[in-house]
């Protein structure tokens, strides 16, 4: 945590909820494919997790952290994240059967 602490934005005014707890909550939600509202209470309010994730994403906080960690590990600056653990919505299979994904189903255009 000490390595990435300098990359977090500074708090202005009211002290923020613990960055470590929020970051852990964000990772937990993403890793388990949960909705924000289903995050365990131990990580703080789900709205805080979501807002911090969106804000930090827009500010490039995660990009800077990933670059710094890969540089410290002596690896290239390119980082790839595999998202194959994410689940498709249950209607995805039925939409494919109905031909609503023409580019991957049968190659015909949908009307």
């Amino acid at each position: 945590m000490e390595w990435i602490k300098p990359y977090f934005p500074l708090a202005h005014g009211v002290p923020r909820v613990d960055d470590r707890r929020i970051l852990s909550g964000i990772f937990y939600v993403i890793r388990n494919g949960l909705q924000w509202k289903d995050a365990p209470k131990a990580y703080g309010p789900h709205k805080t997790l979501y807002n911090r994730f969106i804000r930090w994403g827009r500010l490039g906080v995660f990009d800077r952290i990933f670059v710094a960690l890969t540089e410290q590990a002596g690896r290239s600056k390119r980082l790839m994240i595999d998202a194959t653990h994410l689940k498709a919505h249950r209607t995805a299979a039925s939409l494919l059967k109905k031909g609503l994904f023409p580019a991957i189903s049968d190659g015909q255009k949908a009307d």
Side-chain angles (χ1 to χ4, degrees):
M1 189 64 184
E2 292 301 318
W3 286 354
I4 62 175
K5 198 174 196 174
Y7 299 100
F8 293 121
L10 298 175
H12 300 288
V14 179
R16 283 197 310 238
V17 177
D18 182 32
D19 288 335
R20 177 188 297 249
R21 187 173 76 166
I22 296 299
L23 192 60
S24 294
I26 291 169
F27 289 158
Y28 185 87
V29 168
I30 292 171
R31 183 181 65 230
N32 292 298
L34 300 175
Q35 293 182 0
W36 294 105
K37 67 180 181 177
D38 296 330
K41 301 289 183 215
Y43 295 118
H46 66 88
K47 190 71 172 173
T48 302
L49 296 176
Y50 172 77
N51 287 338
R52 196 80 60 91
F53 175 71
I54 295 299
R55 190 176 317 120
W56 285 354
R58 287 181 183 150
L59 292 173
V61 172
F62 296 114
D63 293 337
R64 289 192 302 273
I65 289 172
F66 288 140
V67 167
L69 291 176
T70 55
E71 286 176 352
Q72 289 176 1
R75 296 189 176 109
S76 69
K77 291 185 179 183
R78 179 171 289 168
L79 177 67
M80 297 178 145
I81 299 174
D82 181 13
T84 56
H85 70 281
L86 298 177
K87 298 177 186 176
H89 192 272
R90 63 179 169 251
T91 60
S94 63
L95 293 175
L96 182 61
K97 288 178 186 176
K98 292 177 183 175
L100 297 177
F101 290 114
I104 60 172
S105 59
D106 61 5
Q108 297 174 357
K109 291 185 180 181
D111 293 320

